[in-house]
Amino acid sequence: MNIFKNRSKLLDRLMDIFCLAISICATLLLLAVIAFMIRESGPVWLTAGPVKIITGTEWNPVLKPPQLGIGTMICSTLWTSLGAIFLASPLGFGGAVFLSEFAPDWLAGIIRPVLNILTGIPSVVYGFLGATVLVKFFEFSFHMASGESLFCASLVLTVMVLPYIVVASESALRSVPSEYRQAALALGVSKQYLTFRVLLPLAKKGLLGALILGFGRAAGETMAVLMLAGNSLLMPTSWFSRGEPLSALIALEIGTSEVGSPQYQALFAAGLILLSFIIGINLFLTFLRRPVGNEVRKS
């Protein structure tokens, strides 16, 4: 008997060491990527200055001196990603409430696998469908010279981030301790009152985390916005303007830039800004996604 116990402890110890090694390797890989991007973009940060790069609105890296402002691309990134979250949040929260509290088990059992499938569809497929359906729709319906716009990109991003928001929001709702459901139902409140006045306030941190997760997913998307945003270097003045988000700028120009040139270094600077943006969002998400149940029980 002691032999089996010792073997079980040894296996647990080996598994702990294996998981720790994987975690260290993943962390080192991320730090290596950040260090590489800092090294490649370092000269342009020193020569042009961070403020001029981030707030500048002129991008023409082949001029002498080169114009390397990416403020226009940052603004386009915010238009597309925030617009997608604006459209996806009511749909995502509604879907999560329906799946968590109102959907029969057989229907929820169908919808959940469909959501998982939607998260696995390549973004180029979404972009292709948007270019052939949405762009044509705007061109013919509103007699536009080109249906490409930040709004069109936001619509496709809405479909892409919606499954993430639904799944994360449903998880937040289900993490509320069952004692609250039982106590509320024992008091005779309706299911609607329980959901909207008890469960949603208790799960608000998880719901906010779902939105941030979707925002990070939308901000880092490349192919769909590349195919739909219009790829214009002008500062967008509205949601329906054409633009070029950071990810699209990098994807379009990194292949033609000369290694070591100001354009090459500025593209790495744009990538570093985008990466910092995503890391910041994930750190904030990690802070928010503390165990809800423990906090509720303490309150």
Side-chain angles (χ1 to χ4, degrees), residues 24-293:
I24 292 174
C25 290
T27 304
L28 291 176
L29 179 61
L30 176 62
L31 293 176
V33 170
I34 295 174
F36 178 75
M37 298 186 74
I38 291 175
R39 191 194 70 172
E40 295 299 309
S41 62
V44 79
W45 289 116
L46 296 175
T47 55
V51 175
K52 193 173 181 180
I53 292 176
I54 294 173
T55 61
T57 57
E58 298 294 333
W59 173 264
N60 198 338
V62 297
L63 282 182
K64 294 186 183 301
Q67 297 176 332
L68 303 175
I70 58 173
T72 303
M73 297 74 170
I74 294 175
C75 187
S76 296
T77 302
L78 293 177
W79 267 115
T80 54
S81 50
L82 288 176
I85 295 303
F86 175 75
L87 296 174
S89 54
L91 299 174
F93 289 159
V97 168
F98 177 70
L99 286 177
S100 173
E101 305 301 325
F102 296 100
D105 291 340
W106 65 269
L107 184 56
I110 295 174
I111 295 177
R112 289 193 185 101
V114 171
L115 292 174
N116 292 331
I117 292 173
L118 288 175
T119 61
I121 295 177
S123 59
V124 67
V125 175
Y126 285 109
F128 179 74
L129 291 175
T132 54
V133 178
L134 282 179
V135 171
K136 298 298 181 185
F137 170 78
F138 285 113
E139 289 176 354
F140 285 108
S141 300
F142 300 98
H143 305 290
M144 300 171 64
S146 172
E148 296 173 338
S149 66
L150 297 175
F151 179 73
C152 190
S154 291
L155 286 178
V156 173
L157 287 177
T158 299
V159 178
M160 296 178 68
V161 303
L162 188 59
Y164 294 92
I165 295 177
V166 173
V167 172
S169 300
E170 186 192 3
S171 175
L173 288 170
R174 288 185 175 277
S175 67
V176 176
S178 60
E179 292 91 334
Y180 287 86
R181 287 183 173 83
Q182 296 167 2
L185 293 176
L187 292 174
V189 302
S190 65
K191 194 68 175 293
Q192 289 77 11
Y193 187 93
L194 165 67
T195 301
F196 294 103
R197 301 299 296 272
V198 178
L199 298 181
L200 285 178
L202 289 173
K204 59 184 178 184
K205 284 190 174 181
L207 299 178
L208 180 59
L211 285 185
I212 295 173
L213 177 66
F215 180 68
R217 175 72 179 85
E221 173 53 35
T222 301
M223 286 306 299
V225 297
L226 174 66
M227 299 170 72
L228 300 171
N231 302 319
S232 170
L233 295 177
L234 299 176
M235 176 64 78
T237 55
S238 74
W239 200 2
F240 300 93
S241 301
R242 301 176 70 184
E244 187 169 278
L246 284 172
S247 54
L249 169 74
I250 298 170
L252 282 172
E253 299 195 13
I254 193 64
T256 58
S257 62
E258 181 183 354
V259 177
S261 64
Q263 181 185 14
Y264 176 86
Q265 295 165 357
L267 290 175
F268 270 92
L272 186 61
I273 291 173
L274 187 59
L275 181 60
S276 303
F277 199 52
I278 302 301
I279 290 176
I281 289 172
N282 279 277
L283 290 177
F284 188 56
L285 177 63
T286 303
F287 173 75
L288 286 178
R289 290 176 68 87
R290 292 174 295 177
V292 176

